[in-house]
Amino acid sequence: GAVVSQHPSWVICKSGTSVKIECRSLDFQATTMFWYRQFPKQSLMLMATSNEGSKATYEQGVEKDKFLINHASLTLSTLTVTSAHPEDSSFYICSASSGHQETQYFGPGTRLLVL
Amino acid sequence: AQTVTQSQPEMSVQEAETVTLSCTYDTSESDYYLFWYKQPPSRQMILVIRQEAYKQQNATENRFSVNFQKAAKSFSLKISDSQLGDAAMYFCAYRSFRDDKIIFGKGTRLHILP
């Protein structure tokens, strides 16, 4: 199956700093990428959907100025957590799809800890 | 809005036995996909099985099979000959034909007893 990578796999940062997480599709062109957040022992919650070359669509309750998403190429999307605070600590997962109704492939996730 | 409900937070099964995980969903759409994902301790999401709503035949992948009841909006997962490697969190999920968003249930943690 197709492979999606995320970098870094885990990151620790100080409160107030910004953190960038990369999501890459390694062997296919991802026209759409999705960003999820997962709290401990909870389910995945969709944060936003990004299509290559256009602005991301955020789910209700997700602050777009807080979580900046850039999908500048068909293989890379980035999520930047700006001015991170301890409550932003979570597991962030991306998924990528080559088109409408195509299978979504998930990345391995990024664990963020904000001190 | 679509919802996915998994009523069993945890389940246990003896190794080599069969276990069924329950899932119900709510939607007003007629075309959609349903999935079961497995999330082991590594937290990598793994697609176990997929069902298109327009197909009446239940999907099967080796030891994994589903019982899809469209009218009842039920989508259970049966795992036969359970193995220790099956221990994980299992998420039932719904995806609309319309916008590709995946909605996940809260998950069922499956323990395999040796």
Side-chain angles (χ1 to χ4, degrees):
Chain A
V3 179
V4 175
S5 70
Q6 281 185 240
H7 179 80
S9 56
W10 61 272
V11 56
I12 301 173
C13 70
K14 292 182 178 180
S15 187
T17 61
S18 294
V19 176
K20 181 184 285 188
I21 301 170
E22 292 184 348
C23 177
R24 292 183 185 272
S25 58
L26 299 186
D27 50 4
F28 67 101
Q29 293 186 326
T31 55
T32 307
M33 288 185 169
F34 303 83
W35 287 95
Y36 298 84
R37 185 173 181 175
Q38 186 180 28
F39 289 107
K41 298 185 179 181
Q42 293 191 26
S43 188
L44 281 73
M45 297 297 295
L46 179 65
M47 299 175 66
T49 302
S50 74
N51 291 294
E52 186 265 337
S54 59
K55 289 184 179 180
T57 302
Y58 290 81
E59 294 301 300
Q60 194 171 12
V62 177
E63 300 175 59
K64 62 180 181 181
D65 295 329
K66 173 77 170 173
F67 299 100
L68 301 179
I69 291 172
N70 185 6
H71 191 167
S73 78
L74 285 171
T75 59
L76 173 65
S77 176
T78 59
L79 167 67
T80 301
V81 183
T82 62
S83 187
H85 290 282
E87 56 266 29
D88 299 324
S89 298
S90 191
F91 192 64
Y92 293 88
I93 304 175
C94 73
S95 70
S97 165
S98 60
H100 180 52
Q101 297 187 24
E102 294 297 321
T103 298
Q104 288 184 29
Y105 297 95
F106 284 82
T110 296
R111 189 181 306 274
L112 170 64
L113 177 61
V114 184
L115 302 176
Chain B
Q2 297 87 8
T3 58
V4 177
T5 301
Q6 293 178 250
S7 59
Q8 306 150 315
E10 288 193 62
M11 292 193 71
S12 296
V13 63
Q14 208 74 35
E15 192 176 4
E17 296 295 308
T18 295
V19 64
T20 299
L21 308 184
S22 301
C23 173
T24 58
Y25 60 95
D26 191 26
T27 183
S28 58
E29 299 176 337
S30 57
D31 292 322
Y32 48 87
Y33 300 95
L34 295 167
F35 306 88
W36 279 97
Y37 282 92
K38 169 184 177 181
Q39 188 178 42
S42 68
R43 301 189 80 173
Q44 169 74 59
M45 295 292 284
I46 300 167
L47 177 62
V48 174
I49 203 163
R50 158 184 168 147
Q51 174 85 41
E52 289 86 351
Y54 63 84
K55 291 187 178 179
Q56 291 187 336
Q57 187 172 6
N58 289 323
T60 298
E61 287 289 338
N62 300 313
R63 298 184 294 108
F64 299 86
S65 61
V66 296
N67 183 2
F68 173 47
Q69 302 289 329
K70 190 172 184 179
K73 296 179 182 173
S74 170
F75 184 62
S76 61
L77 174 70
K78 185 171 83 172
I79 305 174
S80 304
D81 185 24
S82 298
Q83 300 175 1
L84 295 177
D86 295 334
M89 194 75 160
Y90 286 82
F91 291 100
C92 179
Y94 170 101
R95 190 176 115 193
S96 169
F97 263 39
R98 183 171 41 86
D99 59 14
D100 287 337
K101 293 181 183 180
I102 295 181
I103 299 167
F104 290 90
K106 291 185 182 295
T108 296
R109 181 165 300 282
L110 179 64
H111 303 277
I112 309 296
L113 306 174

